[in-house]
Amino acid sequence: MKVQRSSYSLRKRLLAISVVLGVFGAVLVARAAHLQLISPDFYQQQGDARFLREVPIATSRGTITDRNGEPLAISSPVESVWANPKELLQHANRMPALAKALGIPQDVLVQRISQRADKEFVYLRRHLNPDIAQEVVGLGIPGVYSQREFRRFYPHGEVMAHVLGFTNIDDRGQEGLELAFDDWLTGKPGAQQIIRDRRGRTVENVDLIRAAEPGHDLMLSIDRRIQYLAYRELKTALIEHGASSGSIVVLDVPTGEILAMVNQPSYNPNSRDGSGPETQRNRAVTDVVEPGSVMKTLTLAAALESGKFTPETLIPTAPGYMPLPGGYTVKDFRNYGTLTMTGVLTKSSNVGATKIANELTNEHQYDMYQRFGLGHASGSGFPGESAGVLRAPNLWGPTEKATISYGYGLSVTPLQLARAYAALGNHGRLHEATFVKGADSASVQVIDPAIAAQLMTMMETVTGAEGTARRAAVMGYRVAGKTGTSRKASGGGYAAKRYAAVFVGLVPASNPKFAMAVVIHDPQGLEYGGGAVSAPIFHHVMDGALRLMDVPPDNIEQWFAAQAKKTAAAVAAAPPPAAPVAPVAPAVPESMQ
Ligand code: 59J
């Protein structure tokens, strides 16, 4: 019974096991078939997803160059080290080594990681030298990676700082032309798929999803050499005169292109730490000044256009002051007696300008100023550009009408000044300002070419023997220009001892190539005028620029006279020539000469 019972149950049990095993096997086969044949893609994807990543491909920002292709802003490759906190936190024992390699305090590192413990990405240090980044990643700490980025470098430092501006750590423009042309300069990052192993190292580049497109290059109208000259002369003059700030703008007269633009104080764009906004402003376009006497030229333009005046019209300015109906008295530096209209410019008579303006309507006077670009933006597109202030003519009383005619009661940027004068040198055509070479900027005829020519001739007397800007003269070249020395408005009145010294000029006057404006704020000491402070800066910068650009001299007699004087001085200084050892035979027989 026992055996019987047991053989029966054994068979039964065997059967049961076979059935279970059979079913189990069938399920396995079915499962395998399902995995292998029916839906392999899904599982492949699931597997890959654990290790396959889409990563961005960094791309460089366009290079900014000067008008001759000299690089002014360059993108250079750097590495940024980042971590996956989830992964890294499982290897907390490696923190000290990591902190040391990164050069950051350990507690700072630990805090940064723990604060983002639930994230998959945190930067550890950005913009590292690729060698250092390689060392950090080479430690083989799980969850620590490095990625390529680009960083801006400005080879000319503070010389170009205000024009170029700068980018932020993500390489996007923040100020200056970097901001104005950000879309143009910024590249499109690419994307690729990579496979990482369990430790996160890249095993294989699988697929290029999108190629990176580098940003566009930008060629500026700036000439690096003129820019440097202007920078050097401005900085020297600021120190020499103890001045607080200053700007220089140089324009190419025929095209209106900006050749140089510098300001002081400046800053180092490659390391901005500690440089405040006072040093970072491009004052030549963002800051305004009461132009003072350099306005007189535009007042005279309206006078000539009215038909009531010629350059020879006599203007009595005695006794050197003139009370106005409102109670204000216009004053001249001294009593110039009766001047021609040219003489009003040569000597810079406020009384003369007032008498001339009184013969014009407010509207005509205003219209002339705004035609020359005052009161509205220059078209440069520079971020933060100021339009200046020019009040509507129906709001002018007799005092304002007078003071505006010689430059007070309105405000302009140094760029606006340079641009207005450039139009005088460009046969009366005013260009929109541009920082881009070959931009072919729009231009408008703002005054009759004949009037522009008359004003050029009149302005040449300013740098002549009788003028206020003799120190602007450049040997061998005719120079047209105008000085201004203005007391600064402060607290509702005009400060006794705070001045802006201005000079705006054009050279060569017979066929102008350059227009240059110089504005110096708060020169100290006895020499504080436009003629004493700003005219010499014009002289130095233009003397160099004319030579650099091979501009032919238009005052040949003066040029030759100077050359002859130099030669004579050299001969006089040289030691007497040694007596010839033997008579020198003539090279060509006399009979053949
Ligand atoms: C000046 C002014 C102030 C504002 C006067 C400069 C006025 C005026 C009220 C006294 C220094 C000074 C609205 S002067 O630029 O006439 O270029 O080398 O600041 O006249 O009415 O102690 N320029 N400057 N005027 N104000 N208000 C002369 C002149 C000018 C010079 C010198 C000496 C002023 C030769 C100025 C120059 O042409």
Side-chain angles (χ1 to χ4, degrees):
M1 264 313 263
K2 234 185 184 178
V3 174
Q4 224 179 6
R5 224 189 92 212
S6 64
S7 72
Y8 167 76
S9 70
L10 182 70
R11 235 184 294 134
K12 238 176 141 180
R13 264 191 271 166
L14 273 173
L15 185 68
I17 288 167
S18 318
V19 168
V20 168
L21 281 178
V23 168
F24 201 65
V27 167
L28 278 179
V29 168
R31 179 75 182 148
H34 180 76
L35 285 178
Q36 296 294 320
L37 303 171
I38 300 168
S39 64
D41 292 352
F42 174 73
Y43 294 98
Q44 182 74 46
Q45 268 171 24
Q46 287 290 303
D48 286 354
R50 306 278 186 296
F51 296 103
L52 202 60
R53 286 265 153 74
E54 183 176 323
V55 295
I57 309 170
T59 184
S60 60
R61 197 172 166 81
T63 299
I64 305 179
T65 72
D66 88 338
R67 63 185 301 110
N68 302 310
E70 293 285 341
L72 305 177
I74 307 164
S75 267
S76 50
V78 287
E79 292 284 323
S80 289
V81 176
W82 60 276
N84 179 343
K86 277 186 187 163
E87 227 180 320
L88 179 55
L89 282 169
Q90 290 168 10
H91 304 268
N93 62 321
R94 308 289 306 269
M95 289 295 187
L98 182 59
K100 188 157 174 280
L102 286 167
I104 49 180
Q106 195 184 324
D107 49 339
V108 174
L109 176 67
V110 171
Q111 196 190 10
R112 194 177 304 166
I113 304 292
S114 351
Q115 271 172 354
R116 297 171 180 81
D118 55 338
K119 300 270 166 29
E120 292 198 341
F121 184 98
V122 57
Y123 279 120
L124 297 179
R125 263 196 84 178
R126 296 188 72 176
H127 294 192
L128 278 172
N129 181 315
D131 291 348
I132 295 172
Q134 206 45 56
E135 263 172 45
V136 176
V137 175
L139 295 173
I141 301 171
V144 176
Y145 313 99
S146 164
Q147 77 185 22
R148 162 70 37 101
E149 287 191 304
F150 287 89
R151 182 198 145 97
R152 242 2 187 181
F153 175 63
Y154 303 100
H156 298 286
E158 70 168 71
V159 177
M160 286 297 311
H162 296 123
V163 168
L164 297 174
F166 48 81
T167 58
N168 64 9
I169 192 143
D170 292 317
D171 221 16
R172 296 308 300 250
Q174 298 298 290
E175 288 283 354
L177 297 182
E178 290 275 34
L179 174 57
F181 289 93
D182 193 44
D183 287 345
W184 175 259
L185 291 164
T186 303
K188 286 199 184 70
Q192 71 181 337
Q193 275 194 331
I194 60 168
I195 292 182
R196 291 213 164 108
D197 68 8
R198 202 173 46 80
R199 297 181 63 182
R201 286 175 301 209
T202 303
V203 178
E204 194 186 336
N205 288 339
V206 182
D207 236 345
L208 183 68
I209 299 170
R210 220 173 332 109
E213 287 175 39
H216 303 282
D217 292 345
L218 179 65
M219 185 174 266
L220 300 187
S221 55
I222 299 285
D223 187 303
R224 181 183 59 88
R225 300 162 305 172
I226 302 176
Q227 178 82 5
Y228 185 76
L229 271 173
Y231 166 80
R232 192 184 72 186
E233 295 305 325
L234 181 64
K235 189 154 188 166
T236 307
L238 236 75
I239 294 167
E240 187 185 334
H241 295 284
S244 64
S245 65
S247 299
I248 292 178
V249 178
V250 182
L251 300 181
D252 183 69
V253 171
T255 64
E257 290 178 5
I258 298 166
L259 293 172
M261 181 180 277
V262 295
N263 308 278
Q264 282 290 321
S266 187
Y267 66 99
N268 177 3
N270 297 307
S271 165
R272 296 197 309 281
D273 302 347
S275 65
E278 277 302 301
T279 67
Q280 293 184 359
R281 279 205 316 280
N282 186 6
R283 295 162 192 267
V285 296
T286 62
D287 286 20
V288 294
V289 60
E290 269 192 306
S293 297
V294 294
M295 277 300 286
K296 286 172 186 159
T297 317
L298 303 185
T299 304
L300 299 198
L304 290 169
E305 195 178 66
S306 74
K308 293 185 179 174
F309 294 87
T310 72
E312 287 73 40
T313 305
L314 295 176
I315 322 277
T317 70
Y321 55 87
M322 178 181 171
L324 296 177
Y328 185 77
T329 298
V330 176
K331 296 188 197 79
D332 275 343
F333 185 60
R334 60 183 186 83
N335 180 1
Y336 298 112
T338 295
L339 296 168
T340 61
M341 197 167 73
T342 297
V344 168
L345 209 61
T346 323
K347 293 294 180 195
S348 197
S349 166
N350 297 336
V351 173
T354 301
K355 291 211 166 157
I356 291 164
N358 281 342
E359 299 296 316
L360 309 170
T361 66
N362 290 7
E363 285 67 28
H364 188 198
Q365 214 183 318
Y366 169 90
D367 184 51
M368 187 58 70
Y369 303 150
Q370 71 88 28
R371 263 146 71 189
F372 274 95
L374 308 190
H376 48 90
S378 71
S380 74
F382 199 89
E385 170 161 13
S386 168
V389 178
L390 178 61
R391 296 223 297 162
N394 57 320
L395 302 172
W396 299 357
T399 308
E400 251 182 318
K401 180 176 176 59
T403 59
I404 288 175
S405 81
Y406 61 93
Y408 302 89
L410 80 168
S411 63
V412 305
T413 65
L415 174 59
Q416 283 176 322
L417 279 182
R419 191 175 160 235
Y421 274 68
L424 291 170
N426 190 35
H427 316 286
R429 274 198 96 79
L430 180 82
H431 274 280
E432 285 201 335
T434 178
F435 286 93
V436 177
K437 187 188 181 186
D440 195 14
S441 72
S443 64
V444 183
Q445 193 72 37
V446 296
I447 195 175
D448 192 290
I451 295 175
Q454 280 180 315
L455 289 165
M456 288 295 294
T457 306
M458 295 164 80
M459 281 195 288
E460 278 192 66
T461 65
V462 174
T463 62
E466 299 296 315
T468 57
R470 292 184 293 278
R471 292 165 73 178
V474 181
M475 175 61 60
Y477 295 90
R478 290 162 50 190
V479 176
K482 180 71 193 86
T483 55
T485 307
S486 19
R487 282 157 62 204
K488 287 203 173 190
S490 79
Y494 282 83
K497 282 196 168 151
R498 288 193 64 192
Y499 307 96
V502 182
F503 181 78
V504 196
L506 294 140
V507 66
S510 63
N511 180 22
K513 169 71 180 160
F514 302 120
M516 170 167 166
V518 185
V519 177
I520 305 292
H521 290 279
D522 304 305
Q524 306 294 307
L526 292 176
E527 293 213 310
Y528 56 80
V533 174
S534 299
I537 301 175
F538 176 94
H539 162 88
H540 288 302
V541 176
M542 288 293 102
D543 194 40
L546 289 160
R547 234 179 277 266
L548 275 174
M549 304 284 261
D550 280 328
V551 178
D554 63 345
N555 195 349
I556 297 282
E557 288 89 71
Q558 188 192 37
W559 179 271
F560 283 144
Q563 293 304 317
K565 218 169 146 189
K566 254 194 229 166
T567 312
V571 168
V581 181
V584 181
V588 180
E590 245 160 83
S591 59
M592 288 177 70
Q593 280 181 7

